[in-house]
Amino acid sequence: MSLLEENQPTDLEQIIGLSRRGFISAGALCGAAMFLGGGLLSRSALATGVMNANSTLLGFDSISAATADTITLPPGYRSSVLISWGQPLQTGGPAFDPSGNGTASAQEVQFGDNNDGMSLFAFADDPNRALMAINNEYTNYRYLYPHGGSPASAQEVHKAQATEGVSVIEIQRKGDGWQFVQGSPFNRRIHANTPIRLSGPAAGHALLRTQADSSGTRALGTFQNCANGKTPWGTYLTCEENFTDCFGSSDPKQTFDAAQKRYGAVGASKEINWHQHDPRFDLAVNPNELNRHGWVVEIDPFDPLSTPVKRTALGRFKHENAALAETGDGHAVVYMGDDERGEFIYKFISRDKINHQNPKANRDLLDHGTLYVARFDGGDSNPDRPKGHGQWIELTHGKNGVDTGNGFASQAEVLIHARMAASVVGATRMDRPEWIVVSPKDGQVYCTLTNNAKRGEDGQPVGGPNPREKNVYGQILRWKTRNGDHGADTFDWDLFVVAGNPTVHASQPKGGSANITPQNMFNSPDGMGFDDAGRLWILTDGDYSNAGDFAGMGNNQMLCADPASGEIRRFMVGPVGCEVTGISFSPDHKTLFVGIQHPGENGGSTFPENQPNAKPRSSVVAISREDGGIVGA
Ligand code: FEO
Ligand code: CA
Ligand code: CA
C-alpha cells in the first residue's frame, strides 16, 4: 500500500530506515553557532596555503581544472558507473539500443535520460541494501533518434516522454562497491504518461480541469524533473521545472493571458515539439493542461504500485528542488527556488506537525500549510560579500494584497499563479534560484543563484543578494533565522561565495569573492548537498568553453566547501559537455553518488564507455576512496 494513498495502512516503517540525516531539529538549531560567524579568509591567505593548514574538514587537495572526457578525482579516489541512460530495469528487459531505433515502450522500462536530483533510502534491516529515486530531467534528441532532430511522429514524442520523469532503482553493496540490482521488484519508471493524483487546495479547481479529466484531480505524467527533496517520513519529492517548454500551439494566432505569459507559454514550441504530435500539449486544444504541471510531486519509493501525488499547497512555478527542515515546534518546512531569471525563493510550513513515530500519519502533511516568499533587504554596503536581512511574506488569500482586487479569487488561484502572488507582495527578484540545502550542523540555509545575464535590465535592480549586472558567474546565498527557528518570519543573509574568474578579472566584482582563487574557480553553481560532517558539496552547470570569461575553468565540476572557514576545493571534474548534478551518499558516507548529465551534449564525448564512436550516456557515478574511508574527509 502506498504511504500516499488515503485510508490505506502501510508497512513502510517496517522496511525502511527513517533517517533524520539532514533534518534539522529545533534543539540542534538553538545550540548552534550563530550566523555569519565563520568569516572568509583573504585571497592572500588562500594563496599562501594558510587555509589548507587550518581546515580539518576537507581532507584532500584541490585538483586542477580539466578538459578531459572522463571523471577526474584527487589521488586516492576512484569512480565507477552505477547506472546509465537506457539500462534495462528488469531482468530480460530491452537493452539500450545505441542506434536510436529503440522504441517508446522499451524506454518506459529502461533507466531514464539526463539524470538530475536523487535521494537514497536505506533499508532499516539491511545496511547493504537501499533504494534510489533519481530524476530524469529531459532528453537529448541528438542521441535519442537516428535522425538526431526533433520528434517527427507520435511514436517519437512518446519515446521522448518516456525518457523523462523519475527512475526508482534498488542498489546493493557487494564487496566494497554499490551496484544496481536489475530485476528488483522496487525498480520502477514514472514518466510523462504515468497517472498522478493532484491534491491540496488547488486540486479540482476549474483551471486544472481538462476534457480528459473533468475532476481536475487526475493528471497524467511528470516531466522536466529537475532536482529533489527527501522527507523525514521516507518519501521522495521530485520537482517539475521547465514544464512550459513542452507546450506549444497549433493556432498561429494564439494569444496568451497574463498568467500564461508569466509562466513562459509560447505558441511555437522550442525544439521539444511535443504539441504537434500529442494534442495534450497543444495549448490551442488543452490550455488547462499547462496548469497541471509545475508542481512538487511526492513519491513513495518503497511502494512500486503507489500513485505519485502533486502537492499543490507548495505552489506552482519552475521548481528546482525542495529542501526539508523542521520548525521549533515540529512542523515541516520546505524551502524551494523558482529557477528563472528574476523569480523568487519560497518557503512552505505545514499546518500539522510531523509524526516521527508513525510515518504513515504524514501522508497528507504537504496538503495543508502556508506558503511564503522571500524579500531580501540591505546588502549594498559591502560590495565584496554583501550581507543583510530579510523577511518571509505570507501568500495567503486575503492577506498582503493577495486578494480578489489583485486578481486572485481563491487560495487555489494563489497557488496556481504563485509567481504573480509573489509579485504582488513585493518579493525580491533573484538571479535564478537553483538548489537549496540546509546545514546539518547549524541550520543555515544555502541557495545557489546560478547566473542571470539580464540582471540590471527588465526591472531587476542590481544589489542585495544579486550584486552584479549581467551576472555570468553566479553566487551562493545563505540565510539564518535570527532565533534559529525555521518557522520564524525574519532572517539574516550573506553571500557565502561570489563566483568569478580572478585570472581574467583582477578584482571584485568579476574576480569573485576572497574565497575564489585560480585553484578553485568555477561558474554557475547549481546542485548542492551537505554530508553528515557538514561539508558543503557544490556542483556546477556552467559555461565549459574554457575561454573568455571562463578561461581556465575547464569542464563542469564538483567542489567541496568548509562552511565555517569559507574555503572551497575542487574535488571532481566531469567529462566533456556534461553538467554535474544530483548528489547523495551511502549511509556510511564511504560512497558518494553524483550525476553526470548530458555528457557530449554538443558532441565530443564517449562517456562512460570510452570506446570509439560510443554514444555518450547520462549516468550516475559512485565515488569512493581506495582506502575505504569517508569521502571528502
Ligand atoms: Fe534543472 Fe534549474 O536546473
Ligand atoms: Ca539545476
Ligand atoms: Ca542550471
Side-chain angles (χ1 to χ4, degrees), residues 201 233 237 296 311-315 317 319 323-327 331-336 345-352 364-373 392 411 415 486-487:
W233 52 95
L237 302 180
V296 172
R311 300 294 184 190
T312 66
L314 277 60
F317 42 90
H319 281 279
L324 274 290
E326 184 173 347
T327 66
H331 299 259
V333 176
V334 188
Y335 290 106
M336 301 171 285
I345 294 172
Y346 297 82
K347 174 173 84 165
F348 171 84
I349 301 182
S350 65
R351 181 192 68 188
D352 302 323
D364 293 323
L365 196 73
L366 300 182
D367 278 346
H368 308 283
T370 306
L371 189 65
Y372 301 83
V373 68
W392 292 106
Q411 183 62 16
L415 296 168
H486 289 286

mmCIF file of all heavy atoms in Angstrom, residues 201 233 237 296 311-315 317 319 323-327 331-336 345-352 364-373 392 411 415 486-487:
data_model
loop_
_atom_site.group_PDB
_atom_site.id
_atom_site.type_symbol
_atom_site.label_atom_id
_atom_site.label_comp_id
_atom_site.label_asym_id
_atom_site.label_seq_id
_atom_site.Cartn_x
_atom_site.Cartn_y
_atom_site.Cartn_z
ATOM 1 N N PRO A 201 -4.979 22.309 -1.888
ATOM 2 C CA PRO A 201 -6.011 23.339 -2.065
ATOM 3 C C PRO A 201 -6.411 23.616 -3.515
ATOM 4 O O PRO A 201 -7.535 24.046 -3.766
ATOM 5 C CB PRO A 201 -5.383 24.587 -1.443
ATOM 6 C CG PRO A 201 -4.366 24.057 -0.486
ATOM 7 C CD PRO A 201 -3.841 22.801 -1.090
ATOM 8 N N TRP A 233 9.677 11.496 6.580
ATOM 9 C CA TRP A 233 8.789 10.332 6.699
ATOM 10 C C TRP A 233 9.010 9.329 5.551
ATOM 11 O O TRP A 233 8.202 8.449 5.325
ATOM 12 C CB TRP A 233 7.319 10.761 6.797
ATOM 13 C CG TRP A 233 6.843 11.700 5.734
ATOM 14 C CD1 TRP A 233 6.197 11.376 4.571
ATOM 15 C CD2 TRP A 233 6.909 13.136 5.754
ATOM 16 N NE1 TRP A 233 5.893 12.508 3.857
ATOM 17 C CE2 TRP A 233 6.304 13.608 4.564
ATOM 18 C CE3 TRP A 233 7.424 14.080 6.660
ATOM 19 C CZ2 TRP A 233 6.208 14.967 4.248
ATOM 20 C CZ3 TRP A 233 7.320 15.427 6.338
ATOM 21 C CH2 TRP A 233 6.730 15.858 5.158
ATOM 22 N N LEU A 237 10.552 13.695 -3.062
ATOM 23 C CA LEU A 237 9.913 14.818 -3.743
ATOM 24 C C LEU A 237 10.652 15.083 -5.048
ATOM 25 O O LEU A 237 11.875 15.242 -5.055
ATOM 26 C CB LEU A 237 9.949 16.076 -2.865
ATOM 27 C CG LEU A 237 9.279 15.956 -1.489
ATOM 28 C CD1 LEU A 237 9.379 17.275 -0.735
ATOM 29 C CD2 LEU A 237 7.823 15.529 -1.608
ATOM 30 N N VAL A 296 5.368 20.249 -7.139
ATOM 31 C CA VAL A 296 6.219 19.275 -6.449
ATOM 32 C C VAL A 296 5.416 17.981 -6.313
ATOM 33 O O VAL A 296 4.260 18.011 -5.893
ATOM 34 C CB VAL A 296 6.655 19.786 -5.065
ATOM 35 C CG1 VAL A 296 7.384 18.684 -4.287
ATOM 36 C CG2 VAL A 296 7.546 21.012 -5.216
ATOM 37 N N ARG A 311 1.541 17.957 -5.033
ATOM 38 C CA ARG A 311 1.158 18.682 -3.818
ATOM 39 C C ARG A 311 0.975 20.163 -4.142
ATOM 40 O O ARG A 311 1.948 20.953 -4.113
ATOM 41 C CB ARG A 311 2.236 18.503 -2.748
ATOM 42 C CG ARG A 311 2.488 17.057 -2.329
ATOM 43 C CD ARG A 311 1.288 16.464 -1.619
ATOM 44 N NE ARG A 311 1.575 15.107 -1.133
ATOM 45 C CZ ARG A 311 0.629 14.300 -0.651
ATOM 46 N NH1 ARG A 311 -0.634 14.685 -0.590
ATOM 47 N NH2 ARG A 311 0.956 13.098 -0.232
ATOM 48 N N THR A 312 -0.267 20.563 -4.395
ATOM 49 C CA THR A 312 -0.490 21.939 -4.863
ATOM 50 C C THR A 312 -0.273 22.990 -3.771
ATOM 51 O O THR A 312 -0.082 24.168 -4.086
ATOM 52 C CB THR A 312 -1.898 22.100 -5.446
ATOM 53 O OG1 THR A 312 -2.876 21.927 -4.403
ATOM 54 C CG2 THR A 312 -2.158 21.096 -6.565
ATOM 55 N N ALA A 313 -0.291 22.578 -2.510
ATOM 56 C CA ALA A 313 -0.098 23.566 -1.434
ATOM 57 C C ALA A 313 1.285 24.210 -1.505
ATOM 58 O O ALA A 313 1.496 25.287 -0.932
ATOM 59 C CB ALA A 313 -0.299 22.900 -0.073
ATOM 60 N N LEU A 314 2.229 23.560 -2.202
ATOM 61 C CA LEU A 314 3.594 24.094 -2.294
ATOM 62 C C LEU A 314 3.755 25.103 -3.433
ATOM 63 O O LEU A 314 4.846 25.644 -3.641
ATOM 64 C CB LEU A 314 4.604 22.945 -2.445
ATOM 65 C CG LEU A 314 5.046 22.267 -1.142
ATOM 66 C CD1 LEU A 314 3.875 21.660 -0.380
ATOM 67 C CD2 LEU A 314 6.100 21.200 -1.402
ATOM 68 N N GLY A 315 2.687 25.366 -4.158
ATOM 69 C CA GLY A 315 2.729 26.406 -5.185
ATOM 70 C C GLY A 315 3.222 25.888 -6.522
ATOM 71 O O GLY A 315 3.900 24.855 -6.621
ATOM 72 N N PHE A 317 5.358 26.765 -9.824
ATOM 73 C CA PHE A 317 6.358 27.570 -10.533
ATOM 74 C C PHE A 317 7.381 26.614 -11.113
ATOM 75 O O PHE A 317 7.123 25.407 -11.157
ATOM 76 C CB PHE A 317 6.990 28.626 -9.595
ATOM 77 C CG PHE A 317 7.326 28.176 -8.192
ATOM 78 C CD1 PHE A 317 8.561 27.646 -7.889
ATOM 79 C CD2 PHE A 317 6.390 28.305 -7.155
ATOM 80 C CE1 PHE A 317 8.878 27.257 -6.592
ATOM 81 C CE2 PHE A 317 6.697 27.912 -5.849
ATOM 82 C CZ PHE A 317 7.939 27.375 -5.570
ATOM 83 N N HIS A 319 9.936 24.677 -10.412
ATOM 84 C CA HIS A 319 10.564 24.167 -9.198
ATOM 85 C C HIS A 319 11.943 23.583 -9.481
ATOM 86 O O HIS A 319 12.086 22.705 -10.328
ATOM 87 C CB HIS A 319 9.696 23.076 -8.584
ATOM 88 C CG HIS A 319 8.516 23.583 -7.813
ATOM 89 N ND1 HIS A 319 8.623 24.032 -6.525
ATOM 90 C CD2 HIS A 319 7.210 23.716 -8.143
ATOM 91 C CE1 HIS A 319 7.438 24.402 -6.086
ATOM 92 N NE2 HIS A 319 6.552 24.225 -7.043
ATOM 93 N N ALA A 323 13.923 21.515 -0.162
ATOM 94 C CA ALA A 323 14.799 21.196 0.968
ATOM 95 C C ALA A 323 13.972 21.162 2.251
ATOM 96 O O ALA A 323 13.325 22.147 2.604
ATOM 97 C CB ALA A 323 15.912 22.239 1.082
ATOM 98 N N LEU A 324 14.024 20.035 2.948
ATOM 99 C CA LEU A 324 13.202 19.838 4.135
ATOM 100 C C LEU A 324 13.915 20.318 5.392
ATOM 101 O O LEU A 324 15.129 20.145 5.542
ATOM 102 C CB LEU A 324 12.869 18.353 4.298
ATOM 103 C CG LEU A 324 11.649 17.784 3.552
ATOM 104 C CD1 LEU A 324 10.352 18.318 4.150
ATOM 105 C CD2 LEU A 324 11.689 18.052 2.064
ATOM 106 N N ALA A 325 13.128 20.884 6.294
ATOM 107 C CA ALA A 325 13.608 21.246 7.630
ATOM 108 C C ALA A 325 12.416 21.113 8.573
ATOM 109 O O ALA A 325 11.352 20.623 8.178
ATOM 110 C CB ALA A 325 14.185 22.667 7.636
ATOM 111 N N GLU A 326 12.587 21.551 9.823
ATOM 112 C CA GLU A 326 11.517 21.426 10.810
ATOM 113 C C GLU A 326 11.515 22.647 11.706
ATOM 114 O O GLU A 326 12.583 23.135 12.118
ATOM 115 C CB GLU A 326 11.731 20.148 11.646
ATOM 116 C CG GLU A 326 10.618 19.873 12.634
ATOM 117 C CD GLU A 326 10.778 18.518 13.323
ATOM 118 O OE1 GLU A 326 11.606 17.708 12.847
ATOM 119 O OE2 GLU A 326 10.083 18.271 14.318
ATOM 120 N N THR A 327 10.333 23.150 12.006
ATOM 121 C CA THR A 327 10.252 24.299 12.907
ATOM 122 C C THR A 327 10.524 23.853 14.342
ATOM 123 O O THR A 327 10.510 22.654 14.652
ATOM 124 C CB THR A 327 8.854 24.944 12.867
ATOM 125 O OG1 THR A 327 7.905 24.009 13.405
ATOM 126 C CG2 THR A 327 8.448 25.321 11.457
ATOM 127 N N HIS A 331 6.736 21.425 12.965
ATOM 128 C CA HIS A 331 6.085 21.453 11.658
ATOM 129 C C HIS A 331 7.118 21.281 10.540
ATOM 130 O O HIS A 331 8.265 21.711 10.677
ATOM 131 C CB HIS A 331 5.335 22.776 11.457
ATOM 132 C CG HIS A 331 4.258 23.000 12.477
ATOM 133 N ND1 HIS A 331 2.927 22.769 12.204
ATOM 134 C CD2 HIS A 331 4.315 23.410 13.769
ATOM 135 C CE1 HIS A 331 2.212 23.029 13.290
ATOM 136 N NE2 HIS A 331 3.031 23.432 14.256
ATOM 137 N N ALA A 332 6.682 20.699 9.425
ATOM 138 C CA ALA A 332 7.590 20.523 8.290
ATOM 139 C C ALA A 332 7.782 21.847 7.565
ATOM 140 O O ALA A 332 6.836 22.633 7.390
ATOM 141 C CB ALA A 332 7.024 19.488 7.325
ATOM 142 N N VAL A 333 9.008 22.082 7.140
ATOM 143 C CA VAL A 333 9.361 23.261 6.349
ATOM 144 C C VAL A 333 9.935 22.774 5.019
ATOM 145 O O VAL A 333 10.730 21.833 4.996
ATOM 146 C CB VAL A 333 10.407 24.125 7.083
ATOM 147 C CG1 VAL A 333 10.854 25.301 6.228
ATOM 148 C CG2 VAL A 333 9.851 24.600 8.416
ATOM 149 N N VAL A 334 9.507 23.396 3.927
ATOM 150 C CA VAL A 334 10.068 23.059 2.618
ATOM 151 C C VAL A 334 10.547 24.354 1.971
ATOM 152 O O VAL A 334 9.737 25.256 1.696
ATOM 153 C CB VAL A 334 9.027 22.375 1.698
ATOM 154 C CG1 VAL A 334 9.718 21.864 0.434
ATOM 155 C CG2 VAL A 334 8.308 21.234 2.413
ATOM 156 N N TYR A 335 11.851 24.448 1.746
ATOM 157 C CA TYR A 335 12.420 25.593 1.033
ATOM 158 C C TYR A 335 12.501 25.264 -0.453
ATOM 159 O O TYR A 335 12.922 24.151 -0.825
ATOM 160 C CB TYR A 335 13.834 25.893 1.544
ATOM 161 C CG TYR A 335 13.883 26.451 2.947
ATOM 162 C CD1 TYR A 335 14.310 25.669 4.018
ATOM 163 C CD2 TYR A 335 13.522 27.778 3.203
ATOM 164 C CE1 TYR A 335 14.379 26.186 5.305
ATOM 165 C CE2 TYR A 335 13.588 28.296 4.492
ATOM 166 C CZ TYR A 335 14.019 27.500 5.531
ATOM 167 O OH TYR A 335 14.088 28.023 6.798
ATOM 168 N N MET A 336 12.132 26.227 -1.308
ATOM 169 C CA MET A 336 12.049 25.953 -2.740
ATOM 170 C C MET A 336 12.468 27.179 -3.552
ATOM 171 O O MET A 336 12.095 28.304 -3.222
ATOM 172 C CB MET A 336 10.596 25.609 -3.119
ATOM 173 C CG MET A 336 10.037 24.415 -2.374
ATOM 174 S SD MET A 336 8.258 24.202 -2.633
ATOM 175 C CE MET A 336 7.595 25.517 -1.600
ATOM 176 N N ILE A 345 12.301 32.939 -4.222
ATOM 177 C CA ILE A 345 12.584 31.842 -3.281
ATOM 178 C C ILE A 345 11.386 31.724 -2.328
ATOM 179 O O ILE A 345 10.910 32.727 -1.789
ATOM 180 C CB ILE A 345 13.880 32.113 -2.501
ATOM 181 C CG1 ILE A 345 15.080 32.087 -3.462
ATOM 182 C CG2 ILE A 345 14.066 31.090 -1.382
ATOM 183 C CD1 ILE A 345 16.383 32.539 -2.832
ATOM 184 N N TYR A 346 10.923 30.503 -2.119
ATOM 185 C CA TYR A 346 9.710 30.246 -1.333
ATOM 186 C C TYR A 346 9.996 29.346 -0.131
ATOM 187 O O TYR A 346 10.976 28.607 -0.103
ATOM 188 C CB TYR A 346 8.661 29.542 -2.205
ATOM 189 C CG TYR A 346 8.170 30.339 -3.400
ATOM 190 C CD1 TYR A 346 8.905 30.384 -4.588
ATOM 191 C CD2 TYR A 346 6.966 31.040 -3.353
ATOM 192 C CE1 TYR A 346 8.453 31.099 -5.688
ATOM 193 C CE2 TYR A 346 6.502 31.753 -4.455
ATOM 194 C CZ TYR A 346 7.247 31.782 -5.620
ATOM 195 O OH TYR A 346 6.794 32.485 -6.706
ATOM 196 N N LYS A 347 9.067 29.408 0.812
ATOM 197 C CA LYS A 347 9.103 28.508 1.974
ATOM 198 C C LYS A 347 7.679 28.073 2.289
ATOM 199 O O LYS A 347 6.757 28.896 2.326
ATOM 200 C CB LYS A 347 9.707 29.246 3.185
ATOM 201 C CG LYS A 347 9.657 28.460 4.481
ATOM 202 C CD LYS A 347 10.417 29.172 5.602
ATOM 203 C CE LYS A 347 9.596 30.228 6.319
ATOM 204 N NZ LYS A 347 10.220 30.641 7.604
ATOM 205 N N PHE A 348 7.499 26.788 2.511
ATOM 206 C CA PHE A 348 6.197 26.238 2.924
ATOM 207 C C PHE A 348 6.336 25.722 4.351
ATOM 208 O O PHE A 348 7.332 25.089 4.692
ATOM 209 C CB PHE A 348 5.805 25.087 1.984
ATOM 210 C CG PHE A 348 4.604 24.299 2.435
ATOM 211 C CD1 PHE A 348 3.316 24.729 2.141
ATOM 212 C CD2 PHE A 348 4.764 23.114 3.146
ATOM 213 C CE1 PHE A 348 2.209 23.992 2.552
ATOM 214 C CE2 PHE A 348 3.661 22.375 3.553
ATOM 215 C CZ PHE A 348 2.380 22.813 3.255
ATOM 216 N N ILE A 349 5.330 25.997 5.177
ATOM 217 C CA ILE A 349 5.290 25.422 6.527
ATOM 218 C C ILE A 349 3.983 24.653 6.678
ATOM 219 O O ILE A 349 2.899 25.206 6.441
ATOM 220 C CB ILE A 349 5.411 26.502 7.619
ATOM 221 C CG1 ILE A 349 6.727 27.271 7.463
ATOM 222 C CG2 ILE A 349 5.326 25.867 9.010
ATOM 223 C CD1 ILE A 349 6.956 28.331 8.523
ATOM 224 N N SER A 350 4.083 23.386 7.056
ATOM 225 C CA SER A 350 2.887 22.549 7.164
ATOM 226 C C SER A 350 2.006 23.004 8.332
ATOM 227 O O SER A 350 2.502 23.482 9.360
ATOM 228 C CB SER A 350 3.270 21.077 7.329
ATOM 229 O OG SER A 350 3.949 20.875 8.558
ATOM 230 N N ARG A 351 0.702 22.824 8.154
ATOM 231 C CA ARG A 351 -0.249 23.153 9.228
ATOM 232 C C ARG A 351 -0.071 22.218 10.421
ATOM 233 O O ARG A 351 -0.143 22.620 11.569
ATOM 234 C CB ARG A 351 -1.676 23.031 8.675
ATOM 235 C CG ARG A 351 -2.777 23.365 9.667
ATOM 236 C CD ARG A 351 -4.137 22.940 9.133
ATOM 237 N NE ARG A 351 -4.246 21.472 9.057
ATOM 238 C CZ ARG A 351 -5.256 20.824 8.480
ATOM 239 N NH1 ARG A 351 -6.234 21.508 7.904
ATOM 240 N NH2 ARG A 351 -5.292 19.505 8.452
ATOM 241 N N ASP A 352 0.149 20.956 10.093
ATOM 242 C CA ASP A 352 0.239 19.937 11.136
ATOM 243 C C ASP A 352 1.693 19.593 11.435
ATOM 244 O O ASP A 352 2.585 19.846 10.627
ATOM 245 C CB ASP A 352 -0.521 18.689 10.697
ATOM 246 C CG ASP A 352 -1.990 19.014 10.394
ATOM 247 O OD1 ASP A 352 -2.567 19.859 11.107
ATOM 248 O OD2 ASP A 352 -2.519 18.456 9.411
ATOM 249 N N ASP A 364 -0.444 13.025 4.182
ATOM 250 C CA ASP A 364 -1.037 14.224 3.574
ATOM 251 C C ASP A 364 -0.538 15.511 4.227
ATOM 252 O O ASP A 364 -1.162 16.564 4.094
ATOM 253 C CB ASP A 364 -2.565 14.148 3.648
ATOM 254 C CG ASP A 364 -3.094 13.023 2.763
ATOM 255 O OD1 ASP A 364 -2.516 12.810 1.684
ATOM 256 O OD2 ASP A 364 -4.067 12.361 3.164
ATOM 257 N N LEU A 365 0.613 15.419 4.894
ATOM 258 C CA LEU A 365 1.131 16.595 5.608
ATOM 259 C C LEU A 365 1.356 17.775 4.669
ATOM 260 O O LEU A 365 1.148 18.934 5.035
ATOM 261 C CB LEU A 365 2.451 16.221 6.297
ATOM 262 C CG LEU A 365 2.920 17.180 7.378
ATOM 263 C CD1 LEU A 365 2.055 17.042 8.633
ATOM 264 C CD2 LEU A 365 4.377 16.937 7.732
ATOM 265 N N LEU A 366 1.770 17.492 3.434
ATOM 266 C CA LEU A 366 2.089 18.578 2.491
ATOM 267 C C LEU A 366 0.854 19.113 1.765
ATOM 268 O O LEU A 366 0.986 19.909 0.839
ATOM 269 C CB LEU A 366 3.148 18.097 1.491
ATOM 270 C CG LEU A 366 4.481 17.666 2.120
ATOM 271 C CD1 LEU A 366 5.473 17.243 1.041
ATOM 272 C CD2 LEU A 366 5.078 18.779 2.985
ATOM 273 N N ASP A 367 -0.322 18.684 2.177
ATOM 274 C CA ASP A 367 -1.549 19.217 1.569
ATOM 275 C C ASP A 367 -2.103 20.428 2.309
ATOM 276 O O ASP A 367 -3.002 21.102 1.801
ATOM 277 C CB ASP A 367 -2.638 18.136 1.526
ATOM 278 C CG ASP A 367 -2.462 17.208 0.342
ATOM 279 O OD1 ASP A 367 -1.678 17.555 -0.563
ATOM 280 O OD2 ASP A 367 -3.100 16.147 0.322
ATOM 281 N N HIS A 368 -1.612 20.676 3.510
ATOM 282 C CA HIS A 368 -2.162 21.767 4.318
ATOM 283 C C HIS A 368 -1.016 22.574 4.908
ATOM 284 O O HIS A 368 -0.128 22.009 5.556
ATOM 285 C CB HIS A 368 -3.017 21.210 5.459
ATOM 286 C CG HIS A 368 -4.061 20.237 4.998
ATOM 287 N ND1 HIS A 368 -5.225 20.621 4.388
ATOM 288 C CD2 HIS A 368 -4.074 18.881 5.031
ATOM 289 C CE1 HIS A 368 -5.933 19.543 4.064
ATOM 290 N NE2 HIS A 368 -5.263 18.470 4.442
ATOM 291 N N GLY A 369 -1.048 23.880 4.693
ATOM 292 C CA GLY A 369 0.006 24.705 5.256
ATOM 293 C C GLY A 369 0.000 26.086 4.639
ATOM 294 O O GLY A 369 -0.946 26.482 3.949
ATOM 295 N N THR A 370 1.086 26.798 4.890
ATOM 296 C CA THR A 370 1.186 28.196 4.462
ATOM 297 C C THR A 370 2.413 28.363 3.574
ATOM 298 O O THR A 370 3.495 27.872 3.905
ATOM 299 C CB THR A 370 1.304 29.117 5.698
ATOM 300 O OG1 THR A 370 0.210 28.851 6.574
ATOM 301 C CG2 THR A 370 1.281 30.583 5.275
ATOM 302 N N LEU A 371 2.216 29.050 2.468
ATOM 303 C CA LEU A 371 3.315 29.339 1.551
ATOM 304 C C LEU A 371 3.804 30.769 1.785
ATOM 305 O O LEU A 371 2.982 31.679 1.978
ATOM 306 C CB LEU A 371 2.834 29.158 0.105
ATOM 307 C CG LEU A 371 3.898 29.211 -0.988
ATOM 308 C CD1 LEU A 371 4.881 28.057 -0.864
ATOM 309 C CD2 LEU A 371 3.232 29.190 -2.373
ATOM 310 N N TYR A 372 5.102 30.947 1.786
ATOM 311 C CA TYR A 372 5.717 32.260 1.958
ATOM 312 C C TYR A 372 6.699 32.503 0.803
ATOM 313 O O TYR A 372 7.176 31.560 0.174
ATOM 314 C CB TYR A 372 6.516 32.330 3.274
ATOM 315 C CG TYR A 372 5.731 32.064 4.523
ATOM 316 C CD1 TYR A 372 5.479 30.753 4.941
ATOM 317 C CD2 TYR A 372 5.248 33.110 5.311
ATOM 318 C CE1 TYR A 372 4.763 30.498 6.106
ATOM 319 C CE2 TYR A 372 4.529 32.858 6.480
ATOM 320 C CZ TYR A 372 4.292 31.551 6.863
ATOM 321 O OH TYR A 372 3.582 31.304 8.023
ATOM 322 N N VAL A 373 7.024 33.771 0.593
ATOM 323 C CA VAL A 373 8.050 34.120 -0.393
ATOM 324 C C VAL A 373 9.012 35.109 0.265
ATOM 325 O O VAL A 373 8.635 35.836 1.193
ATOM 326 C CB VAL A 373 7.404 34.695 -1.676
ATOM 327 C CG1 VAL A 373 6.756 36.063 -1.410
ATOM 328 C CG2 VAL A 373 8.417 34.766 -2.820
ATOM 329 N N TRP A 392 10.089 36.694 5.370
ATOM 330 C CA TRP A 392 9.175 35.801 4.659
ATOM 331 C C TRP A 392 7.789 36.432 4.659
ATOM 332 O O TRP A 392 7.276 36.811 5.717
ATOM 333 C CB TRP A 392 9.120 34.428 5.332
ATOM 334 C CG TRP A 392 10.393 33.674 5.216
ATOM 335 C CD1 TRP A 392 11.316 33.451 6.194
ATOM 336 C CD2 TRP A 392 10.908 33.037 4.032
ATOM 337 N NE1 TRP A 392 12.381 32.721 5.692
ATOM 338 C CE2 TRP A 392 12.146 32.453 4.373
ATOM 339 C CE3 TRP A 392 10.449 32.904 2.721
ATOM 340 C CZ2 TRP A 392 12.930 31.742 3.455
ATOM 341 C CZ3 TRP A 392 11.217 32.207 1.809
ATOM 342 C CH2 TRP A 392 12.437 31.637 2.171
ATOM 343 N N GLN A 411 -7.610 30.802 -2.717
ATOM 344 C CA GLN A 411 -6.263 30.298 -2.425
ATOM 345 C C GLN A 411 -5.786 29.373 -3.544
ATOM 346 O O GLN A 411 -4.593 29.324 -3.848
ATOM 347 C CB GLN A 411 -6.244 29.564 -1.074
ATOM 348 C CG GLN A 411 -4.874 29.072 -0.649
ATOM 349 C CD GLN A 411 -3.856 30.211 -0.439
ATOM 350 O OE1 GLN A 411 -4.227 31.379 -0.324
ATOM 351 N NE2 GLN A 411 -2.587 29.859 -0.430
ATOM 352 N N LEU A 415 -2.129 29.682 -5.492
ATOM 353 C CA LEU A 415 -1.139 28.615 -5.647
ATOM 354 C C LEU A 415 -0.848 28.336 -7.117
ATOM 355 O O LEU A 415 0.311 28.127 -7.500
ATOM 356 C CB LEU A 415 -1.640 27.351 -4.943
ATOM 357 C CG LEU A 415 -1.792 27.501 -3.420
ATOM 358 C CD1 LEU A 415 -2.555 26.324 -2.842
ATOM 359 C CD2 LEU A 415 -0.438 27.664 -2.749
ATOM 360 N N HIS A 486 13.332 27.630 11.977
ATOM 361 C CA HIS A 486 12.901 27.727 10.580
ATOM 362 C C HIS A 486 11.470 28.254 10.439
ATOM 363 O O HIS A 486 11.036 28.575 9.341
ATOM 364 C CB HIS A 486 13.011 26.359 9.905
ATOM 365 C CG HIS A 486 14.420 25.927 9.659
ATOM 366 N ND1 HIS A 486 15.199 26.476 8.677
ATOM 367 C CD2 HIS A 486 15.204 25.023 10.291
ATOM 368 C CE1 HIS A 486 16.402 25.907 8.690
ATOM 369 N NE2 HIS A 486 16.432 25.031 9.668
ATOM 370 N N GLY A 487 10.747 28.342 11.535
ATOM 371 C CA GLY A 487 9.398 28.881 11.464
ATOM 372 C C GLY A 487 9.343 30.394 11.541
ATOM 373 O O GLY A 487 8.292 30.995 11.330
#
